């Protein structure tokens, strides 16, 4: 949906897990450009999130997933990777919707145990109207958590093929094309000297 990002350069972005959820989120949050990444929760790092540059971003992960063999829930893995990519690509701010808490709420005000793999598309199927769901999310501050990464880490490859771990404390500095290798080397040298 690069066309939507191009057509709405001032709109905030929302990143969700999966096409079905993206379709539902676009109806619930019409002021946002909604997108997703291909290939599931563990592949978010391979997506091109450069369209998030200069935009506030809201991440809406799936809730209540079964933990993987490492004890991590796919929705949490997805959220962490998308947040990292959003900040690395110059998002102005990143928030996360607490879908685990939201999944326990019903349209009639009752609560329940949150279903496994719950997402915004499930909310619509359960009878939430788009407006009511948006109002609940927007008026309950405990459902939105602003992220402020202390350190973003990623691995880079040098020209000689060896890997190096780079740590970047915020604020992320926008770099002129072609200048990144020089700046990274200077930062690495400064870190090694300290």
């Amino acid at each position: 949906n690069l066309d939507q990002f191009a057509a709405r350069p001032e709109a905030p972005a929302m990143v969700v897990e999966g096409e079905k959820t993206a379709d539902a989120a676009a109806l619930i949050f019409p002021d946002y450009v909604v997108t997703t990444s291909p290939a599931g929760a563990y592949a978010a790092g391979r997506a091109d999130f450069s369209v998030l540059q200069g935009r506030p971003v809201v991440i809406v992960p799936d809730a209540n997933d079964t933990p993987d063999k490492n004890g991590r829930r796919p929705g949490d893995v997805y959220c962490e990777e998308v947040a990292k990519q959003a900040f690395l690509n110059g998002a102005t701010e990143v928030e996360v919707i607490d879908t685990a808490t939201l999944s326990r709420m019903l349209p009639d005000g009752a609560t329940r145990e949150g279903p496994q793999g719950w997402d915004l598309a499930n909310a619509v199927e359960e009878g939430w109207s788009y407006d009511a769901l948006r109002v609940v999310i927007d008026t309950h501050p405990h459902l939105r958590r602003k992220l402020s990464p202390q350190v973003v880490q990623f691995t880079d490859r040098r020209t000689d093929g060896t890997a190096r771990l780079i740590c970047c404390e915020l604020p992320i500095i926008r770099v002129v094309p072609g200048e990144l290798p020089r700046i990274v080397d200077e930062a690495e040298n400064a870190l090694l000297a300290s």
Side-chain angles (χ1 to χ4, degrees):
N1 59 349
L2 294 175
D3 58 328
Q4 293 177 31
F5 280 97
R8 300 172 63 196
E10 302 299 318
M14 180 171 284
V15 183
V16 301
E17 280 187 70
E19 292 294 331
K20 184 177 91 169
T21 306
D23 292 343
L27 296 170
I28 298 164
F29 296 97
D31 293 339
Y32 288 75
V33 177
V34 180
T35 192
T36 189
S37 59
Y42 292 97
R46 289 185 245 144
D48 178 5
F49 285 108
S50 61
V51 294
L52 303 180
Q53 182 176 0
R55 296 176 190 266
V57 176
V58 175
I59 303 168
V60 188
D62 288 358
N64 314 316
D65 295 324
T66 302
D68 62 18
K69 64 182 179 182
N70 297 317
R72 303 199 60 215
R73 296 181 186 276
D76 295 340
V77 171
Y78 184 79
C79 183
E80 290 170 17
E81 186 59 37
V82 171
K84 175 177 146 183
Q85 293 301 322
F87 281 117
L88 286 173
N89 281 284
T92 58
E93 66 180 35
V94 177
E95 284 186 308
V96 177
I97 302 292
D98 182 354
T99 49
T101 299
L102 189 59
S103 73
R104 293 190 290 271
M105 301 167 75
L106 293 170
D108 64 3
T111 59
R112 51 124 184 238
E113 185 70 29
Q116 183 176 350
W118 188 92
D119 58 34
L120 291 178
N122 297 123
V124 173
E125 292 166 0
E126 293 169 354
W128 283 96
S129 72
Y130 304 138
D131 291 337
L133 188 56
R134 184 177 53 253
V135 167
V136 164
I137 292 169
D138 288 344
T139 60
H140 289 78
H142 69 281
L143 293 175
R144 295 179 88 110
R145 178 174 45 105
K146 189 171 282 199
L147 300 181
S148 176
Q150 301 303 312
V151 177
V152 176
Q153 296 183 351
F154 59 98
T155 303
D156 186 26
R157 295 252 173 229
R158 294 176 179 227
T159 54
D160 66 2
T162 60
R164 62 182 167 182
L165 183 66
I166 300 170
C167 297
C168 177
E169 289 192 30
L170 289 183
I172 292 175
I173 300 168
R174 289 193 170 81
V175 179
V176 176
E179 289 291 309
L180 184 59
R182 179 187 62 79
I183 292 170
V184 167
D185 286 338
E186 287 178 11
E188 181 180 48
N189 291 335
L191 286 171
L192 292 174
S194 60

